[in-house]
Amino acid sequence: MSRPARLLRLLDLLRRARQPQTGPALAQTLEVSLRTLYRDIASLREQGAAIEGDPGIGFEMRPGFLLPPLMFNADELEALLLGARWASLQADPQLASAASAAMDRIRSALPLELRIAVDTSGLMVPNMQPNPQPETWQTGLRRAIRAEHKVVLHYEDQHGRLTERLVWPFAMAYFDRSRVVSAWCELRQGFRHFRADRVHAMQELQERYPQSRHSLLQQWLAETGYTLDGWS
């Protein structure tokens, strides 16, 4: 669990508890050390969370305390809506569904005026043909990138030859009519870009590659001269 997710989970545990929660009990539920738990509570208090209590006594959320609502202005909402509509056309079905679910969740928390603005937005993403169909292995690749797992690509090179590449994937770029996988190739001992339409199959290995995804991304940016904004 990431730290932001853990902090939200901690807030939820305290909010739902009917009596003060001891530090050891909270730490056990969150699967962290007691020291980490106390640091998390201190961080939440610094951000305005009304958490009362002390070590050895227990912690509880002050009655009536509510998390501040997640708010966006009109431009931010239109940007999110446009991105979600684009993802529904370009990404794999699971990611497309997640984009729609995220927008539904945001919409449900909006005040009526902004909800109407989202529902009546005139920003569209036309489904122009021919659009590339998402590859069946995209979901698996995204999972491998998150987990920093090696994958085997069954790849057709520019000469039509089928090759098998053991790679460390760290990014996937979504262009208008194509998708490109960025990875460290063990065969070539260097960074390579693989066109998604030339990947015949992909196998995720349950083996982490030796460097972090962040480290690979930084090396790739330094070597290619790209910036994340420019690449996107």
Side-chain angles (χ1 to χ4, degrees), residues 150-171:
K150 296 182 179 182
V151 302
V152 175
L153 297 181
H154 299 272
Y155 190 70
E156 180 181 332
D157 67 17
Q158 60 182 339
H159 303 295
R161 296 179 299 228
L162 291 178
T163 63
E164 189 174 285
R165 303 289 188 92
L166 180 59
V167 302
W168 312 347
F170 58 86

PDB file of all heavy atoms in Angstrom, residues 150-171:
ATOM      1  N   LYS A 150       9.899  -8.341 -15.235  1.00  0.00           N
ATOM      2  CA  LYS A 150      10.386  -8.627 -16.574  1.00  0.00           C
ATOM      3  C   LYS A 150       9.260  -9.262 -17.403  1.00  0.00           C
ATOM      4  O   LYS A 150       8.365  -9.920 -16.854  1.00  0.00           O
ATOM      5  CB  LYS A 150      11.566  -9.597 -16.536  1.00  0.00           C
ATOM      6  CG  LYS A 150      12.814  -9.073 -15.839  1.00  0.00           C
ATOM      7  CD  LYS A 150      13.930 -10.110 -15.900  1.00  0.00           C
ATOM      8  CE  LYS A 150      15.197  -9.603 -15.243  1.00  0.00           C
ATOM      9  NZ  LYS A 150      16.310 -10.593 -15.332  1.00  0.00           N
ATOM     10  N   VAL A 151       9.307  -9.055 -18.717  1.00  0.00           N
ATOM     11  CA  VAL A 151       8.341  -9.695 -19.604  1.00  0.00           C
ATOM     12  C   VAL A 151       9.074 -10.236 -20.828  1.00  0.00           C
ATOM     13  O   VAL A 151      10.162  -9.764 -21.187  1.00  0.00           O
ATOM     14  CB  VAL A 151       7.222  -8.726 -20.073  1.00  0.00           C
ATOM     15  CG1 VAL A 151       6.480  -8.134 -18.885  1.00  0.00           C
ATOM     16  CG2 VAL A 151       7.781  -7.631 -20.954  1.00  0.00           C
ATOM     17  N   VAL A 152       8.455 -11.206 -21.456  1.00  0.00           N
ATOM     18  CA  VAL A 152       8.956 -11.753 -22.717  1.00  0.00           C
ATOM     19  C   VAL A 152       8.032 -11.271 -23.823  1.00  0.00           C
ATOM     20  O   VAL A 152       6.819 -11.491 -23.765  1.00  0.00           O
ATOM     21  CB  VAL A 152       9.004 -13.287 -22.691  1.00  0.00           C
ATOM     22  CG1 VAL A 152       9.425 -13.823 -24.065  1.00  0.00           C
ATOM     23  CG2 VAL A 152       9.947 -13.783 -21.615  1.00  0.00           C
ATOM     24  N   LEU A 153       8.605 -10.584 -24.812  1.00  0.00           N
ATOM     25  CA  LEU A 153       7.839 -10.124 -25.963  1.00  0.00           C
ATOM     26  C   LEU A 153       8.143 -11.024 -27.155  1.00  0.00           C
ATOM     27  O   LEU A 153       9.311 -11.258 -27.484  1.00  0.00           O
ATOM     28  CB  LEU A 153       8.203  -8.675 -26.321  1.00  0.00           C
ATOM     29  CG  LEU A 153       7.906  -7.587 -25.295  1.00  0.00           C
ATOM     30  CD1 LEU A 153       8.314  -6.231 -25.861  1.00  0.00           C
ATOM     31  CD2 LEU A 153       6.438  -7.579 -24.894  1.00  0.00           C
ATOM     32  N   HIS A 154       7.113 -11.521 -27.793  1.00  0.00           N
ATOM     33  CA  HIS A 154       7.260 -12.237 -29.058  1.00  0.00           C
ATOM     34  C   HIS A 154       7.029 -11.180 -30.137  1.00  0.00           C
ATOM     35  O   HIS A 154       5.888 -10.796 -30.414  1.00  0.00           O
ATOM     36  CB  HIS A 154       6.261 -13.386 -29.141  1.00  0.00           C
ATOM     37  CG  HIS A 154       6.451 -14.408 -28.059  1.00  0.00           C
ATOM     38  ND1 HIS A 154       7.298 -15.487 -28.186  1.00  0.00           N
ATOM     39  CD2 HIS A 154       5.927 -14.470 -26.801  1.00  0.00           C
ATOM     40  CE1 HIS A 154       7.278 -16.202 -27.064  1.00  0.00           C
ATOM     41  NE2 HIS A 154       6.451 -15.604 -26.213  1.00  0.00           N
ATOM     42  N   TYR A 155       8.130 -10.753 -30.755  1.00  0.00           N
ATOM     43  CA  TYR A 155       8.128  -9.511 -31.519  1.00  0.00           C
ATOM     44  C   TYR A 155       8.533  -9.748 -32.967  1.00  0.00           C
ATOM     45  O   TYR A 155       9.432 -10.542 -33.260  1.00  0.00           O
ATOM     46  CB  TYR A 155       9.096  -8.528 -30.864  1.00  0.00           C
ATOM     47  CG  TYR A 155       9.027  -7.119 -31.391  1.00  0.00           C
ATOM     48  CD1 TYR A 155       7.925  -6.322 -31.133  1.00  0.00           C
ATOM     49  CD2 TYR A 155      10.071  -6.579 -32.141  1.00  0.00           C
ATOM     50  CE1 TYR A 155       7.851  -5.015 -31.597  1.00  0.00           C
ATOM     51  CE2 TYR A 155      10.015  -5.278 -32.613  1.00  0.00           C
ATOM     52  CZ  TYR A 155       8.902  -4.502 -32.335  1.00  0.00           C
ATOM     53  OH  TYR A 155       8.842  -3.213 -32.802  1.00  0.00           O
ATOM     54  N   GLU A 156       7.874  -9.043 -33.852  1.00  0.00           N
ATOM     55  CA  GLU A 156       8.205  -9.086 -35.283  1.00  0.00           C
ATOM     56  C   GLU A 156       9.017  -7.841 -35.634  1.00  0.00           C
ATOM     57  O   GLU A 156       8.524  -6.722 -35.501  1.00  0.00           O
ATOM     58  CB  GLU A 156       6.928  -9.132 -36.114  1.00  0.00           C
ATOM     59  CG  GLU A 156       7.172  -9.182 -37.614  1.00  0.00           C
ATOM     60  CD  GLU A 156       5.869  -9.207 -38.399  1.00  0.00           C
ATOM     61  OE1 GLU A 156       4.855  -9.696 -37.865  1.00  0.00           O
ATOM     62  OE2 GLU A 156       5.881  -8.704 -39.544  1.00  0.00           O
ATOM     63  N   ASP A 157      10.267  -8.021 -36.040  1.00  0.00           N
ATOM     64  CA  ASP A 157      11.113  -6.862 -36.329  1.00  0.00           C
ATOM     65  C   ASP A 157      10.738  -6.236 -37.670  1.00  0.00           C
ATOM     66  O   ASP A 157       9.828  -6.701 -38.371  1.00  0.00           O
ATOM     67  CB  ASP A 157      12.597  -7.224 -36.263  1.00  0.00           C
ATOM     68  CG  ASP A 157      13.029  -8.191 -37.361  1.00  0.00           C
ATOM     69  OD1 ASP A 157      12.298  -8.345 -38.372  1.00  0.00           O
ATOM     70  OD2 ASP A 157      14.115  -8.802 -37.232  1.00  0.00           O
ATOM     71  N   GLN A 158      11.473  -5.201 -38.055  1.00  0.00           N
ATOM     72  CA  GLN A 158      11.134  -4.447 -39.269  1.00  0.00           C
ATOM     73  C   GLN A 158      11.316  -5.264 -40.537  1.00  0.00           C
ATOM     74  O   GLN A 158      10.793  -4.901 -41.592  1.00  0.00           O
ATOM     75  CB  GLN A 158      11.994  -3.190 -39.340  1.00  0.00           C
ATOM     76  CG  GLN A 158      13.484  -3.465 -39.373  1.00  0.00           C
ATOM     77  CD  GLN A 158      14.295  -2.194 -39.393  1.00  0.00           C
ATOM     78  OE1 GLN A 158      13.791  -1.139 -39.763  1.00  0.00           O
ATOM     79  NE2 GLN A 158      15.561  -2.275 -38.991  1.00  0.00           N
ATOM     80  N   HIS A 159      12.038  -6.381 -40.445  1.00  0.00           N
ATOM     81  CA  HIS A 159      12.239  -7.245 -41.610  1.00  0.00           C
ATOM     82  C   HIS A 159      11.263  -8.417 -41.627  1.00  0.00           C
ATOM     83  O   HIS A 159      11.379  -9.305 -42.473  1.00  0.00           O
ATOM     84  CB  HIS A 159      13.670  -7.775 -41.630  1.00  0.00           C
ATOM     85  CG  HIS A 159      14.712  -6.694 -41.636  1.00  0.00           C
ATOM     86  ND1 HIS A 159      14.868  -5.815 -42.689  1.00  0.00           N
ATOM     87  CD2 HIS A 159      15.633  -6.332 -40.696  1.00  0.00           C
ATOM     88  CE1 HIS A 159      15.838  -4.966 -42.420  1.00  0.00           C
ATOM     89  NE2 HIS A 159      16.324  -5.250 -41.216  1.00  0.00           N
ATOM     90  N   GLY A 160      10.326  -8.426 -40.695  1.00  0.00           N
ATOM     91  CA  GLY A 160       9.336  -9.491 -40.667  1.00  0.00           C
ATOM     92  C   GLY A 160       9.776 -10.738 -39.938  1.00  0.00           C
ATOM     93  O   GLY A 160       9.072 -11.755 -39.957  1.00  0.00           O
ATOM     94  N   ARG A 161      10.932 -10.694 -39.260  1.00  0.00           N
ATOM     95  CA  ARG A 161      11.422 -11.867 -38.530  1.00  0.00           C
ATOM     96  C   ARG A 161      10.858 -11.876 -37.122  1.00  0.00           C
ATOM     97  O   ARG A 161      10.815 -10.845 -36.463  1.00  0.00           O
ATOM     98  CB  ARG A 161      12.948 -11.861 -38.480  1.00  0.00           C
ATOM     99  CG  ARG A 161      13.614 -11.983 -39.842  1.00  0.00           C
ATOM    100  CD  ARG A 161      15.121 -11.941 -39.697  1.00  0.00           C
ATOM    101  NE  ARG A 161      15.556 -10.680 -39.100  1.00  0.00           N
ATOM    102  CZ  ARG A 161      16.552  -9.933 -39.588  1.00  0.00           C
ATOM    103  NH1 ARG A 161      17.213 -10.317 -40.669  1.00  0.00           N
ATOM    104  NH2 ARG A 161      16.902  -8.806 -38.991  1.00  0.00           N
ATOM    105  N   LEU A 162      10.451 -13.039 -36.656  1.00  0.00           N
ATOM    106  CA  LEU A 162       9.935 -13.180 -35.299  1.00  0.00           C
ATOM    107  C   LEU A 162      11.088 -13.403 -34.330  1.00  0.00           C
ATOM    108  O   LEU A 162      11.946 -14.274 -34.559  1.00  0.00           O
ATOM    109  CB  LEU A 162       8.951 -14.352 -35.221  1.00  0.00           C
ATOM    110  CG  LEU A 162       7.617 -14.161 -35.956  1.00  0.00           C
ATOM    111  CD1 LEU A 162       6.759 -15.421 -35.829  1.00  0.00           C
ATOM    112  CD2 LEU A 162       6.867 -12.965 -35.389  1.00  0.00           C
ATOM    113  N   THR A 163      11.122 -12.611 -33.297  1.00  0.00           N
ATOM    114  CA  THR A 163      12.167 -12.732 -32.281  1.00  0.00           C
ATOM    115  C   THR A 163      11.512 -12.783 -30.901  1.00  0.00           C
ATOM    116  O   THR A 163      10.352 -12.415 -30.722  1.00  0.00           O
ATOM    117  CB  THR A 163      13.142 -11.539 -32.327  1.00  0.00           C
ATOM    118  OG1 THR A 163      12.420 -10.334 -32.010  1.00  0.00           O
ATOM    119  CG2 THR A 163      13.776 -11.407 -33.698  1.00  0.00           C
ATOM    120  N   GLU A 164      12.283 -13.255 -29.946  1.00  0.00           N
ATOM    121  CA  GLU A 164      11.823 -13.306 -28.562  1.00  0.00           C
ATOM    122  C   GLU A 164      12.719 -12.402 -27.740  1.00  0.00           C
ATOM    123  O   GLU A 164      13.927 -12.609 -27.674  1.00  0.00           O
ATOM    124  CB  GLU A 164      11.862 -14.747 -28.044  1.00  0.00           C
ATOM    125  CG  GLU A 164      11.196 -14.939 -26.703  1.00  0.00           C
ATOM    126  CD  GLU A 164      11.134 -16.405 -26.299  1.00  0.00           C
ATOM    127  OE1 GLU A 164      10.297 -17.136 -26.865  1.00  0.00           O
ATOM    128  OE2 GLU A 164      11.934 -16.817 -25.432  1.00  0.00           O
ATOM    129  N   ARG A 165      12.144 -11.394 -27.112  1.00  0.00           N
ATOM    130  CA  ARG A 165      12.925 -10.407 -26.370  1.00  0.00           C
ATOM    131  C   ARG A 165      12.558 -10.444 -24.893  1.00  0.00           C
ATOM    132  O   ARG A 165      11.384 -10.329 -24.535  1.00  0.00           O
ATOM    133  CB  ARG A 165      12.669  -9.003 -26.907  1.00  0.00           C
ATOM    134  CG  ARG A 165      12.958  -8.826 -28.393  1.00  0.00           C
ATOM    135  CD  ARG A 165      14.431  -8.867 -28.708  1.00  0.00           C
ATOM    136  NE  ARG A 165      14.670  -8.518 -30.098  1.00  0.00           N
ATOM    137  CZ  ARG A 165      14.918  -7.288 -30.524  1.00  0.00           C
ATOM    138  NH1 ARG A 165      14.946  -6.289 -29.657  1.00  0.00           N
ATOM    139  NH2 ARG A 165      15.126  -7.046 -31.810  1.00  0.00           N
ATOM    140  N   LEU A 166      13.564 -10.574 -24.038  1.00  0.00           N
ATOM    141  CA  LEU A 166      13.379 -10.459 -22.602  1.00  0.00           C
ATOM    142  C   LEU A 166      13.670  -9.012 -22.231  1.00  0.00           C
ATOM    143  O   LEU A 166      14.794  -8.539 -22.411  1.00  0.00           O
ATOM    144  CB  LEU A 166      14.323 -11.404 -21.856  1.00  0.00           C
ATOM    145  CG  LEU A 166      14.241 -11.395 -20.323  1.00  0.00           C
ATOM    146  CD1 LEU A 166      12.842 -11.747 -19.849  1.00  0.00           C
ATOM    147  CD2 LEU A 166      15.260 -12.368 -19.732  1.00  0.00           C
ATOM    148  N   VAL A 167      12.657  -8.301 -21.746  1.00  0.00           N
ATOM    149  CA  VAL A 167      12.800  -6.857 -21.543  1.00  0.00           C
ATOM    150  C   VAL A 167      12.299  -6.455 -20.158  1.00  0.00           C
ATOM    151  O   VAL A 167      11.570  -7.181 -19.490  1.00  0.00           O
ATOM    152  CB  VAL A 167      12.033  -6.060 -22.622  1.00  0.00           C
ATOM    153  CG1 VAL A 167      12.530  -6.437 -24.017  1.00  0.00           C
ATOM    154  CG2 VAL A 167      10.531  -6.285 -22.514  1.00  0.00           C
ATOM    155  N   TRP A 168      12.698  -5.221 -19.780  1.00  0.00           N
ATOM    156  CA  TRP A 168      12.244  -4.614 -18.522  1.00  0.00           C
ATOM    157  C   TRP A 168      11.359  -3.419 -18.889  1.00  0.00           C
ATOM    158  O   TRP A 168      11.854  -2.311 -19.108  1.00  0.00           O
ATOM    159  CB  TRP A 168      13.421  -4.136 -17.687  1.00  0.00           C
ATOM    160  CG  TRP A 168      14.548  -5.121 -17.512  1.00  0.00           C
ATOM    161  CD1 TRP A 168      14.554  -6.455 -17.785  1.00  0.00           C
ATOM    162  CD2 TRP A 168      15.866  -4.813 -17.031  1.00  0.00           C
ATOM    163  NE1 TRP A 168      15.780  -6.997 -17.508  1.00  0.00           N
ATOM    164  CE2 TRP A 168      16.605  -6.021 -17.042  1.00  0.00           C
ATOM    165  CE3 TRP A 168      16.480  -3.636 -16.591  1.00  0.00           C
ATOM    166  CZ2 TRP A 168      17.932  -6.074 -16.624  1.00  0.00           C
ATOM    167  CZ3 TRP A 168      17.795  -3.690 -16.181  1.00  0.00           C
ATOM    168  CH2 TRP A 168      18.512  -4.907 -16.185  1.00  0.00           C
ATOM    169  N   PRO A 169      10.065  -3.582 -18.973  1.00  0.00           N
ATOM    170  CA  PRO A 169       9.199  -2.474 -19.413  1.00  0.00           C
ATOM    171  C   PRO A 169       9.023  -1.420 -18.312  1.00  0.00           C
ATOM    172  O   PRO A 169       8.838  -1.753 -17.145  1.00  0.00           O
ATOM    173  CB  PRO A 169       7.877  -3.179 -19.706  1.00  0.00           C
ATOM    174  CG  PRO A 169       7.862  -4.326 -18.740  1.00  0.00           C
ATOM    175  CD  PRO A 169       9.297  -4.779 -18.633  1.00  0.00           C
ATOM    176  N   PHE A 170       9.105  -0.157 -18.695  1.00  0.00           N
ATOM    177  CA  PHE A 170       8.926   0.905 -17.711  1.00  0.00           C
ATOM    178  C   PHE A 170       7.969   1.988 -18.191  1.00  0.00           C
ATOM    179  O   PHE A 170       7.589   2.875 -17.421  1.00  0.00           O
ATOM    180  CB  PHE A 170      10.269   1.548 -17.330  1.00  0.00           C
ATOM    181  CG  PHE A 170      11.028   2.132 -18.487  1.00  0.00           C
ATOM    182  CD1 PHE A 170      10.793   3.423 -18.918  1.00  0.00           C
ATOM    183  CD2 PHE A 170      11.986   1.373 -19.157  1.00  0.00           C
ATOM    184  CE1 PHE A 170      11.491   3.962 -19.984  1.00  0.00           C
ATOM    185  CE2 PHE A 170      12.687   1.905 -20.224  1.00  0.00           C
ATOM    186  CZ  PHE A 170      12.448   3.205 -20.640  1.00  0.00           C
ATOM    187  N   ALA A 171       7.540   1.943 -19.459  1.00  0.00           N
ATOM    188  CA  ALA A 171       6.619   2.968 -19.957  1.00  0.00           C
ATOM    189  C   ALA A 171       5.916   2.454 -21.199  1.00  0.00           C
ATOM    190  O   ALA A 171       6.412   1.571 -21.906  1.00  0.00           O
ATOM    191  CB  ALA A 171       7.361   4.263 -20.279  1.00  0.00           C
TER     192      ALA A 171
END
